[in-house]
Amino acid sequence: MSSPLFRVEFVPQFRDLRGRFARADADLLRSKREMVRELGRKWVTYAQDEAPKSPTSTGRFWRSIRYRTYVRGNEIGFTASSAQPLGTYIIKGTKP
């Protein structure tokens, strides 16, 4: 089971929704979705590059790094996750 490590959100301002972007709302939403997808893909690439690797490693952790986009009303974002509990141990560390 995986749990989110962090969340990225983009919430447009009221002026953007009711003002000059009102007519282009569908195009704006589509471009924001694509921007979030691109950020998610870049984040996965960066996180996999930074993931610990060793000659004896199975690669389970870095292969488990992924993202999922979401849209809730005017909110668009992505959550990142990895294999548990390994992801938590690597990110937050363990007690001595």
Side-chain angles (χ1 to χ4, degrees):
M1 186 53 108
S2 62
S3 62
L5 297 174
F6 68 91
R7 179 182 304 253
V8 176
E9 296 178 347
F10 297 93
V11 181
Q13 299 296 316
F14 181 75
R15 181 179 67 120
D16 293 337
L17 293 176
R18 303 287 295 197
R20 63 183 182 213
F21 295 118
R23 288 181 292 272
D25 192 40
D27 291 336
L28 184 61
L29 185 60
R30 191 172 26 260
S31 69
K32 283 187 178 183
R33 283 182 184 156
E34 186 52 41
M35 181 182 68
V36 168
R37 283 187 202 109
E38 182 63 25
L39 285 173
R41 286 189 289 266
K42 286 182 180 182
W43 183 87
V44 167
T45 301
Y46 176 73
Q48 286 177 339
D49 286 347
E50 294 297 318
K53 296 175 187 82
S54 69
T56 60
S57 172
T58 63
R60 180 176 160 238
F61 175 69
W62 72 265
R63 279 195 311 271
S64 73
I65 298 171
R66 59 193 167 277
Y67 78 99
R68 172 174 251 149
T69 60
Y70 63 89
V71 177
R72 283 188 300 244
N74 294 325
E75 185 179 293
I76 301 171
F78 74 88
T79 56
S81 60
S82 64
Q84 294 299 325
L86 190 57
T88 302
Y89 296 159
I90 291 171
I91 301 296
K92 296 182 179 178
T94 58
K95 292 182 181 178

